[in-house]
Amino acid sequence: MKDKGMLGSIFSYAKPCKGKLTLSVICALISVAGGIIPFVAAYRIIIMFFDNSVTAEDIFFWGGICIAGFIVKVLFHAISTTLSHISAYTILELMRKRVAEKLLKAPLGVTQNINAGKVKNIVVDQIENIEIPLAHVIPEGSAALVLPLAVFVYLCMIDFRLALASLITIPLAMIPYGMMLGGYNKTYQKYMESNEHMNNVVVEYVEGIEVVKAFNQSTSSYEKYRKAVESFKETTLNWYKSTWKFTTLGAVILPTTLLGVLPIGTLMYLSGATTLPKITMAMLLSMGLVSSLGRFILFFNQLKSIQYSINTVNKTFDIGELPLASKEKTISQHDIYMEHVSFSYTGKEDVIHDVSIKIPEKSFYALVGPSGGGKSTLARLVARFWDTTEGNISIGGVNIKDIPLTQLADEVSFVTQDNFLFNSSIMENIRLGNPKATDAEVLEAARKAQCDEFINKLEHGYQSTAGEAGDKLSGGERQRIAIARAILKNAPIIILDEATSFTDPENEAKIQEAIAELTKGKTLLVIAHRLSTIKNADKILLVENGKIIQSGTHEELLKNSNLYKDMWQAHIGAKKWSVNVSEEVLA
Ligand code: ADP
């Protein structure tokens, strides 16, 4: 996505609160006008003083006008900032919602690869960062721009020659400011990148502290941390060093409006071309003129940081969306057909090459083969984690691209090894499988998935939160909860990424029982890591280098495939070894 200009990036999110933002700017301008009134009143009083015609009544009257002007200034400033804060939070909400929508629409495969720390940084921190500038920059920035203009117009009305005299130093001050802004975009980009790098390294260091300590890597990891912090310091310092002369020079020249007003005003007064009250007023107003111009330069920086954050959000979530079908399809049977499927993660090299598979309804197929061969990729393509690069996948004769994602999710349960539990009760965690399920149905699914026993042992049973249960749940128990969820969902197609890590026999037996319950009468595709669990598959597909190199039943493959035979021997050997070890441990 192309970077948008400064205002373009802000207004791309500002649509729903256009009215409020406009009103906020109008109120800010009224507040500015209110702020000028005391000057007008003071001018009147000064004139009367010089005329010697001032009365107590006049002073009360113009004093009252001063106060009224001040009240208008404060009141409208309050309304303006309230409206701009409401708008800022609406924009923040909108940005966060868009990110969530984007993640929902993106291919599952892509969202899985997004770094959670980065998403958190953007959704929470980066977006939050723009709240303060956004809430203040729009009303106050426009006021800071309009105020000097209004003051100048008013000065012109008093005496346009004095007004012009007050501007003499402004072009001079703009020279160093202009020089400071040369290469600003690049330097700012570098500064933000360095800042981001430091944030990422700090998060990585903290998150990985366990590994760092366990492997005694504190020196090298700390080195990376130290370098990131140092590089940020260098970048900031270099930026500061390259600009401080200009900013200081600008800041010194800008407020020196008196250098123009005073000599020119005196000359004019001496030649009778102006009056003392006018010179006094010109001196007062010209000082007010520069302070708000100075503020505007500050706002420029804040506008840049808003633009940077919005463009970072847009770029990070500029991830492909799957073309989505919206009309539900009638799927009357549940066979899976992969037709000449090729797939590439990178768009360059294919990891799946022209694979065709037909899995009949209610049959049990297994994918086996060496690690990295493409088993998971093939299985994930069926659940449409990504779209195939070439070829088609259909369920019951309907191309999965034509099935709305929500319907496809109802048709296919993908049970993986990453069993995420939300921090709600175990009951609700299981109910995620079917939010309409009654408590009794949840309990039934838990019983079938062999969860009942260990859940009842938790202090609050099914009402224990996943956080409370936390460490008490083993990997196997978490997987059984995930299976209970899938049982409740009752999808006609189950894709199972078999767990690799639970070798204790009791857990394994229970998981097998749970899986047997889950897969009764379903079309089942298993990514197998332990061959004993798929011995009874209707067909085993041997996957190597992104191709199906052989297929058949367990017996057929033992006879015909050396690779399968070797894998089976290795598996049996490992199993014996694990039994021996368990026996030794128990002895
Ligand atoms: P298996 O499940 O048989 O171990 P995979 O399907 O996980 O194999 O991997 C097949 C190939 O695709 C491997 O070369 C792997 O490195 C690559 N691969 C897997 N996942 C990704 C990914 N998210 N991005 C890029 N390449 C990937």
Side-chain angles (χ1 to χ4, degrees):
M1 192 181 283
K2 232 176 111 254
D3 273 13
K4 290 198 167 131
M6 193 149 65
L7 294 176
S9 38
I10 298 172
F11 289 121
S12 62
Y13 285 93
K15 262 193 203 134
C17 40
K18 225 157 97 196
K20 281 198 195 79
L21 272 180
T22 316
L23 204 58
S24 162
V25 171
I26 292 174
C27 289
L29 297 183
I30 296 177
S31 162
V32 166
I36 294 178
I37 288 174
F39 284 98
V40 178
Y43 181 49
R44 290 286 139 204
I45 295 173
I46 291 171
I47 291 178
M48 285 185 271
F49 261 110
F50 280 109
D51 282 356
N52 253 340
S53 63
V54 69
T55 62
E57 247 173 50
D58 288 333
I59 291 190
F60 273 119
F61 176 74
W62 287 109
I65 298 275
C66 271
I67 295 173
F70 184 71
I71 291 174
V72 167
K73 176 184 156 157
V74 172
L75 188 70
F76 278 86
H77 180 262
I79 299 175
S80 164
T81 38
T82 308
L83 287 171
S84 68
H85 275 84
I86 295 175
S87 309
Y89 279 110
T90 313
I91 291 174
L92 259 52
E93 181 191 7
L94 188 70
M95 288 177 83
R96 290 188 169 128
K97 276 190 179 158
R98 283 216 192 141
V99 169
E101 278 165 18
K102 197 87 204 186
L103 286 176
L104 275 181
K105 283 187 189 157
L108 247 178
V110 173
T111 47
Q112 269 193 332
N113 279 353
I114 295 179
N115 175 312
K118 193 168 179 185
V119 174
K120 185 254 161 197
N121 174 308
I122 289 174
V123 174
V124 180
D125 306 336
Q126 286 266 14
I127 294 184
E128 197 62 43
N129 274 348
I130 69 171
E131 188 275 317
I132 292 184
L134 196 58
H136 293 271
V137 134
I138 291 174
E140 290 173 29
S142 36
L145 191 64
V146 170
L147 183 66
L149 275 179
V151 168
F152 180 71
V153 170
Y154 182 52
L155 250 177
C156 283
M157 284 159 62
I158 294 172
D159 189 320
F160 80 95
R161 291 158 305 181
L162 289 175
L164 290 177
S166 71
L167 293 185
I168 282 181
T169 51
I170 292 178
L172 282 180
M174 286 306 143
I175 297 172
Y177 279 130
M179 288 167 95
M180 178 194 86
L181 291 179
Y184 182 94
N185 281 351
K186 249 195 202 154
T187 323
Y188 189 80
Q189 174 88 12
K190 218 166 139 194
Y191 165 79
M192 291 308 277
E193 278 168 9
S194 169
N195 186 5
E196 209 172 292
H197 175 65
M198 181 177 71
N199 278 336
N200 289 344
V201 172
V202 171
V203 170
E204 185 187 294
Y205 187 70
V206 174
E207 281 184 349
I209 200 87
E210 214 175 305
V211 182
V212 168
K213 285 192 168 175
F215 292 94
N216 217 2
Q217 289 298 315
S218 34
T219 328
S220 63
S221 299
Y222 179 71
E223 196 52 23
K224 192 171 169 196
Y225 177 101
R226 194 185 59 76
K227 271 193 188 141
V229 175
E230 199 144 285
S231 137
F232 179 65
K233 183 195 83 180
E234 290 296 322
T235 313
T236 319
L237 262 184
N238 285 343
W239 190 13
Y240 178 71
K241 276 184 199 157
S242 69
T243 57
W244 75 267
K245 298 174 212 106
F246 300 127
T247 27
T248 315
L249 200 60
V252 168
I253 300 175
L254 196 59
T256 53
T257 45
L258 289 185
L259 281 181
V261 177
L262 213 51
I264 293 176
T266 315
L267 280 177
M268 284 170 63
Y269 177 68
L270 290 178
S271 64
T274 192
T275 60
L276 269 182
K278 285 185 180 174
I279 296 179
T280 317
M281 206 51 208
M283 279 161 47
L284 273 179
L285 285 178
S286 65
M287 285 191 279
L289 195 115
V290 288
S291 67
S292 50
L293 262 187
R295 286 229 310 275
F296 185 72
I297 286 162
L298 264 185
F299 285 133
F300 184 82
N301 226 347
Q302 298 192 324
L303 273 174
K304 269 279 155 198
S305 84
I306 298 182
Q307 182 199 11
Y308 184 85
S309 295
I310 292 184
N311 283 334
T312 312
V313 173
N314 286 344
K315 253 192 225 157
T316 310
F317 295 101
D318 187 19
I319 37 185
E321 286 179 16
L322 290 175
L324 295 182
S326 52
K327 232 174 119 213
E328 290 237 337
K329 289 276 175 309
T330 319
I331 300 173
S332 45
Q333 46 131 354
H334 296 94
D335 58 0
I336 304 169
Y337 188 22
M338 298 184 107
E339 221 179 341
H340 300 294
V341 168
S342 296
F343 177 71
S344 161
Y345 281 105
T346 54
K348 289 180 198 142
E349 263 174 56
D350 281 356
V351 291
I352 301 295
H353 309 274
D354 194 18
V355 166
S356 295
I357 314 171
K358 194 158 195 172
I359 306 177
E361 186 177 42
K362 296 188 182 169
S363 61
F364 171 9
Y365 271 47
L367 299 165
V368 303
S371 175
K375 304 182 290 295
S376 309
T377 310
L378 271 176
R380 286 178 182 179
L381 285 173
V382 176
R384 212 177 167 203
F385 275 43
W386 307 272
D387 276 338
T388 57
T389 313
E390 262 170 63
N392 284 319
I393 301 176
S394 52
I395 291 177
V398 184
N399 191 323
I400 56 170
K401 285 184 195 162
D402 299 329
I403 305 174
L405 271 190
T406 43
Q407 190 187 2
L408 186 66
D410 286 339
E411 296 292 329
V412 181
S413 270
F414 200 108
V415 183
T416 66
Q417 298 183 47
D418 314 319
N419 298 307
F420 186 77
L421 298 182
F422 287 92
N423 197 14
S424 53
S425 66
I426 301 281
M427 180 78 115
E428 292 315 314
N429 262 293
I430 298 177
R431 210 195 306 270
L432 275 178
N434 174 8
K436 289 192 200 124
T438 61
D439 283 2
E441 284 165 334
V442 173
L443 295 185
E444 174 70 11
R447 254 192 303 278
K448 285 184 177 162
Q450 311 291 316
C451 296
D452 207 39
E453 194 184 322
F454 74 80
I455 294 177
N456 281 328
K457 276 190 196 150
L458 296 171
E459 196 183 346
H460 301 108
Y462 281 83
Q463 294 313 322
S464 315
T465 62
E468 265 178 87
D471 295 342
K472 286 180 220 145
L473 296 181
S474 70
E477 287 165 345
R478 280 167 176 266
Q479 174 144 53
R480 279 184 262 157
I481 292 181
I483 294 174
R485 222 183 241 168
I487 289 180
L488 206 56
K489 182 171 153 187
N490 199 18
I493 296 175
I494 312 276
I495 300 175
L496 184 68
D497 189 353
E498 195 193 56
T500 43
S501 46
F502 322 122
T503 42
D504 74 282
E506 189 196 328
N507 226 334
E508 184 174 339
K510 289 213 160 127
I511 289 177
Q512 290 312 328
E513 259 177 76
I515 289 174
E517 274 295 339
L518 167 66
T519 55
K520 253 187 222 165
K522 313 278 190 208
T523 309
L524 173 63
L525 180 64
V526 176
I527 304 165
H529 301 284
R530 279 160 308 151
L531 301 189
S532 53
T533 55
I534 49 121
K535 248 173 74 181
N536 301 324
D538 298 318
K539 202 170 225 178
I540 299 170
L541 309 168
L542 201 51
V543 185
E544 195 179 26
N545 296 329
K547 288 189 185 127
I548 312 273
I549 53 165
Q550 241 167 333
S551 62
T553 60
H554 173 69
E555 276 72 27
E556 284 166 357
L557 285 178
L558 273 185
K559 240 189 269 159
N560 304 330
S561 164
N562 286 337
L563 174 61
Y564 188 79
K565 210 158 58 189
D566 290 348
M567 285 171 64
W568 178 249
Q569 293 300 342
H571 174 67
I572 306 242
K575 244 191 136 70
K576 270 195 197 134
W577 183 81
S578 114
V579 170
N580 287 343
V581 171
S582 336
E583 280 168 359
E584 269 171 38
V585 169
L586 291 173

